[in-house]
Amino acid sequence: MKVFLYLLLAIGAIFNGLGAFALIRFPDVYTRIHGATKCTTFGSIFSILAVVIYGFVKGGGEGGTLAIHALLALFFLLITNPTGSHALARGAHRAGVRPVGAVVDRLEEKE
Amino acid sequence: MRKWGAWATSAVFIYIVYLILTLWTGELGLWSLGELITGAVIALLGAIPLGNIVWKRGDVRLLQPHRWILFLFYLIGPFFFSMARANIDVAYRVITGRIKPGIVRFQPHLKTDFGRTLLANSITLTPGTLTVDVDDGTGEFYVHWIYVKNPEPRPEEVCGPFPTWARRIAE
Amino acid sequence: MIAEFGFLVAAAVLVGYVFVSMGRLMAGPTTPDRAVALDTINTLVVATMVLLGTAFGQVVLVDVAIVYALLSFIATLYIARYLEGGLR
């Protein structure tokens, strides 16, 4: 049981780290949004899943409350994170930031 | 009549979220009387601004329960799998730095707001793609693709089976 | 207990990633870069708060994380709106 929790936490930490390093490594805004959004969302799913399982195993009022609230936080994170990154990408394109080394840019042709 | 329906539906949803947040707080079963009354008041007040915005285009088909079961199945099955693949993909690109980006356009033929939102969020969280803009009138998607294989793609090339799933769930 | 110590360690690692992202927040050449870094930091902080709430046995911290997630989402939308060309 404990090993399983540690495994989930480790996977979450690894993918969150991947997101943070993608932010440093990639060349322009859009590719950074790619890395940051995907990896932090996926990593947070595992981190919070560890908390949920821990709460349900602990049981009782306190553990149940912890699990349900963590699940709700995960739900909101899963909805808001891609939406926010989508808004940022659109704002960046409207602000005049072009993708570096793009082979095709249909949105610019439209505007 | 439809306005009242939208308002009541929003109120019920807010009430459910409130009840989930206040589980195990009282003596009346799981809740206390004060929490139930406060939640009802908050739900009725909160539904006033929400009702008109969320159900503007009449997406009432989303209330059918078999769509929710389908959505849960989609979330655990194909969506989670391709999300895992997306992260391996990002890891590969972080390490090797092989990118060939571009913004492509395609037409998935979705009409409702919920269907478009579902597809846009799915695209953002799955391998190599990121929704940049959605044309509100025609429903065309502008997608930033991290490794462009074809500048004039069909929807299946960019995001696999997701348009079919979005249509099945939301329309 | 030992399991809660694990949660504490994971939270510490995530705080380390917040500092890594802060590098992009300070260095980012354009404003959207900084906004993306801020968005990443927000997600990491939400996960950290949930883990810390578990490590210390305080459910209140998880509630704070929920409110923080929603407020940071609104802040992100606000910044994106600003980037699109002024607050109209």
Side-chain angles (χ1 to χ4, degrees), chain B residues 5-15 43 46-48 50-52 54-55:
Chain B
W7 185 69
T9 317
S10 308
V12 168
F13 272 106
I14 296 174
Y15 201 40
I48 292 172
L50 200 65
N52 287 329
V54 176
W55 311 95

Side-chain angles (χ1 to χ4, degrees), chain C residues 32 64 73 78 83 86:
Chain C
V64 175
F73 170 61
Y78 199 70
L83 288 176

Side-chain angles (χ1 to χ4, degrees), chain A residues 65-87:
Chain A
T65 316
L66 184 69
I68 296 279
H69 285 210
L71 214 55
L72 208 62
L74 178 61
F75 178 68
F76 284 134
L77 212 59
L78 212 56
I79 293 176
T80 59
N81 217 348
T83 316
S85 73
H86 159 66

Side-chain angles (χ1 to χ4, degrees), chain C residues 1-76:
Chain C
M1 285 194 295
I2 303 297
E4 277 138 22
F5 184 69
F7 284 109
L8 203 59
V9 171
V13 172
L14 291 195
V15 170
Y17 296 149
V18 168
F19 281 111
V20 173
S21 309
M22 265 181 190
R24 179 53 69 193
L25 187 68
M26 284 185 280
T30 62
T31 317
D33 281 314
R34 293 171 208 266
V36 172
L38 190 67
D39 195 37
T40 311
I41 288 175
N42 284 333
T43 313
L44 289 173
V45 166
V46 170
T48 311
M49 274 184 186
V50 174
L51 290 177
L52 281 182
T54 315
F56 295 125
Q58 302 276 326
V59 184
V60 183
L61 270 179
V62 181
D63 294 344
V64 175
I66 294 174
V67 175
Y68 186 90
L70 293 175
L71 279 182
S72 72
F73 170 61
I74 293 170
T76 304

Side-chain angles (χ1 to χ4, degrees), chain A residues 22-109:
Chain A
L23 205 62
I24 299 293
R25 177 79 170 76
F26 277 145
D28 73 328
V29 187
Y30 302 98
T31 40
R32 276 172 202 151
I33 295 176
H34 269 281
T37 308
K38 274 169 207 157
C39 295
T40 52
T41 312
F42 197 65
S44 302
I45 286 177
F46 278 103
S47 295
I48 295 179
L49 214 58
V51 172
V52 171
I53 290 171
Y54 171 80
F56 274 130
V57 167
K58 196 178 172 191
E62 200 187 330
T65 316
L66 184 69
I68 296 279
H69 285 210
L71 214 55
L72 208 62
L74 178 61
F75 178 68
F76 284 134
L77 212 59
L78 212 56
I79 293 176
T80 59
N81 217 348
T83 316
S85 73
H86 159 66
L88 274 178
R90 198 173 73 156
H93 203 281
R94 296 249 171 107
V97 180
R98 297 288 171 255
V100 172
V103 292
V104 58
D105 193 344
R106 299 283 173 214
L107 191 58
E108 194 179 5
E109 290 165 20

